[in-house]
Amino acid sequence: MSDQVNNHHVVIIGGGPGGYAAALYGASAGLDVALVERSKVGGTCLHVGCIPAKELLETAAVFRHVRDAAQFGINTGPPTLDWSVTLERKQRIIDQLWRGLSALLKGRKVTVYEGAGRLNADSSVTVTGADGSATTLRAEHVVLAAGSVPRTIPGFELDGHLVTTSDEMLSIERLPASAVVIGGGAIGCEFASMMADLGTRVTVLEALDKILPGCDKDVAAVVARSFKKRGITVRTGVPVLGHRPSTDRRTTTVDFGAAESIEVETVVVSVGRRPFADLLGLEATAVTVDQRGFVEVDALCRTTAAGVYAIGDLIATPQLAHIAFVEGMTVIKDILGESPLPVDYERIPWAIYCHPEVAFAGYSEEQAVAKGYEVVTSQHRHAGNGRAMIIGDTDGLVKVIAEKQPDGTGGRILGVHMVGPWATEQLGQGYLAVNWEATVAEVAHFIQPHPTISELFGESMLSLTGRSLH
Ligand code: NAI
């Protein structure tokens, strides 16, 4: 029984990047927005995802720089890590961003309801607070943005110590001396990179034949080589069979492949994330979900129930915070009757923050060929780049894929793929080139500052015109 009924223009369930973006964007357009959140606004991204993971990766980068400082004539002695300070710094950044976001929502007059939101058959939303109180919210439009949770593997029950996911690893009390990372996707590679740089002996077990299976093969190969150089063991094409904790539960032995095993202190399961619709009560509504549990939507994130949208990790689009942002804004535009363009998922920016960083937009070479394009590609490595040498970080590659013109030169730019220092910050002009449907000749015309790593992008364009400089 609900004891209170409140009316709004839009009710959003879930205060992560999808939900809060929709709330802020809707409120700035003058809509009366309610945001329902059962924990803290900010979602996975802020509390157990992008922000803490990148903060820990930055700690790893600082550790590497100090360790390698002697090559610059700076002698510090071997660095040591005070993990408790690391965790405190990470939490301070999260808290600061969380307070900022809360203030922003308040400033825009978004009404935040604390509690679990459930969609009812009549598209009203019931919010159940921690104290059991129930509030009913009515609105013409409801946005489901409840996010995702880590997938697990049968036989690997989580205990936050021997067996973890990214959720527990981001706050683990002590970095393990040895770890197995199951799954070599974005999360697996980020954790493997971070832990190895901070002194953990890491083994990555990946079921497919390469790590970072969603990336261009040449880019993934650069990461694999760097991992090998830094002592990370990567085993691909291996099934994981199970694990056997020691009697004192200080270590566990992971069985994999053809009768192989390895004893480690911690297992990090990073085999993907599943949509978290568990509390939404969708069975009683006209909203349909697919076999994997993703809420079914059309190109504008409309579900099968009138007036109900779903965005972010709850739907089968790339599970990235910036995709949730754009989906949230698209939904608000649709609610406002502004006929938004659907998101072009084939040209979105991707950014993976392992060392070396990976960033790309558009088709990989394999994807472009599979789509039937005749392509021409260029690859420029960081090894010959002045700035990369100056910073002492020459593992990297810029690869551009373009449509092949009759004279053999590059035409329209189909994909830009980068791996190397600051690749996630470097992608900008590659992203614009792909999404502007620019040609190689148009972009080759532009000037890159010298000395910068972005010269590799400029060189790629020049060489695809058939005439290169360096
Ligand atoms: P993922 O889907 O990117 O990668 C999972 C990996 O695990 C795949 O390579 C898969 O082949 C492998 N795998 C699955 N089952 C396995 C098994 N039983 N044994 C061995 N390997 C197995 O998922 P991930 O890395 O957990 O990330 C979840 C989501 O979050 C992804 O959609 C990812 O794009 C997103 N994410 C993106 C980040 C970024 O872009 N920087 C950072 C963190 C997450």
Side-chain angles (χ1 to χ4, degrees), residues 18 38 93 99 120 142 196 206 333 348 379:
R38 70 192 175 108
I93 292 171
R99 279 194 301 274
N120 300 313
V142 175
E206 165 59 52
K333 287 181 188 164
I348 64 167
Q379 295 195 25

Side-chain angles (χ1 to χ4, degrees), residues 54 153 182-188 190 205-208 210 212-213 238-240 270-273 318-320 350-353:
K54 270 81 261 186
I153 310 177
I182 304 180
I187 295 183
E190 290 188 353
L205 303 178
E206 165 59 52
L208 298 179
K210 67 173 175 111
L212 297 176
V238 287
V240 174
S270 49
V271 295
R273 298 180 60 90
Q319 293 175 311
L320 300 167
W350 289 83
I352 302 168
Y353 297 74

Side-chain angles (χ1 to χ4, degrees), residues 180 203 205 235 238-242 254-262:
V180 154
T203 303
L205 303 178
R235 300 292 308 274
V238 287
V240 174
L241 307 170
V254 179
D255 299 314
F256 65 96
E260 290 184 75
S261 59
I262 180 170

Side-chain angles (χ1 to χ4, degrees), residues 38 86 104 117 162 201 229:
R38 70 192 175 108
T86 304
L104 203 55
L162 280 184
R201 220 166 43 254
K229 252 189 345 205

Side-chain angles (χ1 to χ4, degrees), residues 446-461:
F446 295 128
I447 301 166
Q448 306 292 334
H450 176 76
T452 60
I453 290 175
S454 59
E455 285 176 282
L456 292 165
F457 177 73
E459 286 286 346
S460 301
M461 293 298 158

Side-chain angles (χ1 to χ4, degrees), residues 10 19 49 93 123 139 173 185 194 222 236 245 365 408 413 442:
V10 185
I93 292 171
S123 290
E173 271 176 25
M194 181 269 288
V222 172
T236 55
E365 185 177 351
I413 300 159
E442 284 165 342

Side-chain angles (χ1 to χ4, degrees), residues 300 302 309 329-340:
L300 292 176
R302 303 179 187 123
Y309 296 82
M329 293 191 289
T330 302
V331 160
I332 293 298
K333 287 181 188 164
D334 195 47
I335 288 173
L336 293 167
E338 293 177 351
S339 308

